[in-house]
Amino acid sequence: MTHTHPHPAHDHDHSQEEILDLDAEVLAEHLDAITEWLPLSSDPRHIVDVGCGTGAGTFALLDRFPEARLTAVDTSPEHLRRLREKACARKVDDRLDIVQADLDDADWPDLGTPDLVWASASMHHMADPVRVLRRIHDLLAPGGLFAVVELARFPRFLPADAPEERPGLEERCHAAAEQVHSGRLPHRGADWGPMLTAAGFALDGERTITVHLDGSGNEAIGRYALSALRRIRGGAAQALSAEDLAALDGLLDTGGPRSILRRDDLALRTERTVWAARLVPQSAP
C-alpha cells in the first residue's frame, strides 16, 4: 500500500484537521460559488466526495443539492469520525454514507453509480492519478460530471513588505516547502485538463476562483494563518535559513509580541481552479 494519498490514516495529525476545518469556515462563500458554477443539467441524486477530509466539500454539496445522497470517502478514520460528528450536529447524517478506503489500492469498495464525483485537493495526493481518473470514469453514471478542485496558489497571509518579518519571508517559506515536498507530491499544481481528456472525459468547463479576504478583525483568518505556517515550519524547517526560521518562530509564538494572532494587517490571498468533465458519449455501433 502506498501512502501518498489524501489525508493518510497513519501518523494522525490534528493540525491538518484544524486547517481543513478553518478552510471550510473561512472559504465557505467561495466554495459555494464553485458548487453553484458546476455545469450540471439536473441536480445529482448521488454524489461521491473523493478525499473528503473533515467535510468542507461534503457539506457544501449537501447544502447545494438537498435531495442528494452523498458518499464520503477518505483514508483517515479520525477525519471520518469528525465528519460524522459534524453531520449529526447538522442533522444531515441520514443523507450521508461514510467509507474509509484508500483509492490507491487496486480494489475499491462499492461506491455505486454517482451522478457527480467531487475531488477537492485530493487528486494530487494520489500515487497513480491516471489510474484513479480512469476508475472514476468507469464509476460515473451516463451523463455524470466529475469536478476536480485544486489549489492554484497556496494561501498567503502576510503583507509582502512587512520589514519586521524580513521581506519575502512567506514566499521563502513556501519555496522551502515546495523543495521538501516536490518529490513526494509530483502532481501538485498540475493542469488536470489534459489528464482528464486522456482518461476519456470531455472537459466541460474550467474556472479559477481568486480569493482576497481582509483579515483585520477576522479571528478565523488569524488562526488559519497560524495553522498553515505551523505546518510549513514542521515540514520545511531544514530548508530555511536561521534568520528566516527565527522570524517564523516569532510569528508562531502565540504568547509573544510578534505573534501572528496579534496582527491587524493579515489578508487571505489564494486561488483555486476547478475542472468540470463528463463522460464522452459512446458512438452507436
Side-chain angles (χ1 to χ4, degrees):
M1 175 188 296
T2 180
H3 287 291
T4 51
H5 48 67
H7 321 311
H10 70 301
D11 295 337
H12 175 55
D13 184 351
H14 291 282
S15 69
Q16 187 181 40
E17 289 182 3
E18 183 179 23
I19 287 178
L20 293 172
D21 288 347
L22 286 166
D23 188 81
E25 177 182 350
V26 173
L27 296 174
E29 180 180 338
H30 300 278
L31 192 56
D32 288 344
I34 292 175
T35 63
E36 290 172 7
W37 170 83
L38 293 176
L40 292 159
S41 55
S42 60
D43 286 357
R45 305 294 295 182
H46 180 206
I47 304 168
V48 170
D49 184 358
V50 174
C52 60
T54 61
T58 302
F59 297 116
L61 291 163
L62 287 171
D63 289 345
R64 175 76 176 88
F65 305 110
E67 301 302 318
R69 187 166 193 86
L70 189 144
T71 302
V73 185
D74 202 281
T75 65
S76 167
E78 290 298 328
H79 291 172
L80 294 176
R81 178 192 58 77
R82 195 157 177 153
L83 173 64
R84 187 182 300 279
E85 289 176 353
K86 291 183 186 178
C88 292
R90 291 169 176 249
K91 302 188 186 306
V92 294
D93 51 304
D94 60 333
R95 299 169 50 208
L96 183 64
D97 298 307
I98 293 177
V99 177
Q100 183 184 348
D102 183 347
L103 299 187
D104 275 329
D105 287 347
D107 295 325
W108 281 25
D110 182 4
L111 300 177
T113 308
D115 312 293
L116 171 63
V117 175
W118 170 272
S120 179
S122 58
M123 286 304 304
H124 73 271
H125 285 275
M126 302 295 177
D128 188 354
V130 172
R131 182 184 65 81
V132 173
L133 289 175
R134 290 174 178 155
R135 291 293 299 269
I136 291 173
H137 178 278
D138 295 341
L139 191 71
L140 270 173
L145 191 75
F146 180 28
V148 176
V149 185
E150 289 284 345
L151 282 171
R153 175 180 169 84
F154 280 90
R156 267 65 166 175
F157 302 93
L158 293 168
D161 58 352
E164 65 274 21
E165 274 73 55
R166 294 172 52 82
L169 172 66
E170 194 169 23
E171 291 304 320
R172 290 192 298 277
C173 287
H174 281 281
E178 286 294 328
Q179 176 184 333
V180 170
H181 298 299
S182 60
R184 187 172 64 86
L185 297 172
H187 300 286
R188 190 160 69 179
D191 181 355
W192 291 90
M195 298 175 73
L196 285 162
T197 55
F201 290 96
L203 198 61
D204 204 14
E206 178 181 340
R207 182 182 180 187
T208 296
I209 305 290
T210 300
V211 178
H212 192 130
L213 297 175
D214 181 7
S216 60
N218 190 327
E219 184 262 345
I221 288 181
R223 288 187 289 116
Y224 193 7
L226 178 67
S227 293
L229 291 176
R230 275 177 174 167
R231 285 189 66 83
I232 289 177
R233 204 260 186 237
Q238 69 271 27
L240 291 171
S241 70
E243 294 80 6
D244 280 348
L245 193 57
L248 180 58
D249 284 342
L251 291 169
L252 299 181
D253 180 4
T254 57
R258 294 170 48 237
S259 168
I260 200 165
L261 297 181
R262 296 176 179 268
R263 302 186 69 108
D264 61 3
D265 61 351
L266 299 179
L268 172 58
R269 305 179 301 280
T270 187
E271 290 181 351
R272 297 190 181 201
T273 300
V274 53
W275 293 263
R278 63 181 72 251
L279 304 186
V280 176
Q282 297 296 312
S283 300

